[in-house]
């Protein structure tokens, strides 16, 4: 198991940027694939982005591709989500998640640990 704590959320105008951080504690952080999900008011949780152990492979939802970037620093046990060109429809609670072992990391994939969430609000 790994414990996850998100930070960096807040209020930003449309077109602006935010960077979310997810600090992990526990053993063997670099053995986990990491993902970001979000849940908007009244909607289901949806996949945003994922990154595998070495950081060389990233995956994105179509809705954020080209605007968001996921990265990780295993030495700091931290995964990031850089969000640029934010839109009001990006408003949601963002969750980071950790997945142990092999398998898919995109939409519908199973993750083992979840953070408590960070609120991101984008004003028009």
């Amino acid at each position: 198991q790994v414990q996850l704590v998100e930070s960096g959320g807040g209020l930003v105008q449309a077109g602006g940027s935010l960077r979310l951080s997810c600090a992990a504690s526990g053993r063997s952080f670099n053995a986990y694939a990491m993902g970001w999900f979000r849940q908007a008011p009244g909607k289901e949780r949806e996949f945003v982005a994922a990154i595998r152990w070495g950081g060389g492979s990233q995956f994105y939802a179509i809705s954020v591709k080209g605007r968001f970037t996921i990265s990780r620093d295993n030495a700091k046990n931290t995964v990031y989500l850089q969000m640029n060109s934010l839109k009001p429809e990006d408003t949601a609670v963002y969750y980071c998640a950790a997945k142990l072992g092999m398998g898919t990391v995109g939409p519908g994939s199973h993750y083992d640990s979840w953070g408590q969430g960070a609120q991101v609000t984008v004003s028009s």
Side-chain angles (χ1 to χ4, degrees):
Q1 294 293 124
V2 58
Q3 296 172 296
L4 307 172
V5 180
E6 300 96 337
S7 62
L11 175 65
V12 65
Q13 291 183 324
S17 299
L18 285 173
R19 189 178 76 161
L20 300 180
S21 298
C22 177
S25 61
R27 302 184 67 180
S28 301
F29 170 75
N30 62 357
Y32 291 83
M34 301 295 297
W36 286 97
F37 294 75
R38 67 186 182 186
Q39 187 167 21
K43 296 185 177 180
E44 297 180 355
R45 183 177 297 180
E46 65 174 342
F47 169 80
V48 176
I51 188 167
R52 292 196 178 274
W53 306 289
S57 298
Q58 304 94 42
F59 307 88
Y60 299 95
I62 295 175
S63 60
V64 306
K65 188 175 297 183
R67 300 188 297 119
F68 291 10
T69 302
I70 187 171
S71 62
R72 67 189 295 166
D73 187 338
N74 290 343
K76 297 181 178 180
N77 290 346
T78 302
V79 63
Y80 305 95
L81 184 68
Q82 178 67 46
M83 303 183 292
N84 298 325
S85 301
L86 283 162
K87 305 174 181 179
E89 51 263 44
D90 294 319
T91 296
V93 177
Y94 284 71
Y95 300 88
C96 68
K99 177 185 180 69
L100 180 63
M102 304 294 291
T104 60
V105 296
S109 301
H110 172 76
Y111 282 76
D112 299 289
S113 300
W114 295 82
Q116 66 179 19
Q119 177 69 50
V120 172
T121 303
V122 184
S123 62
S124 60

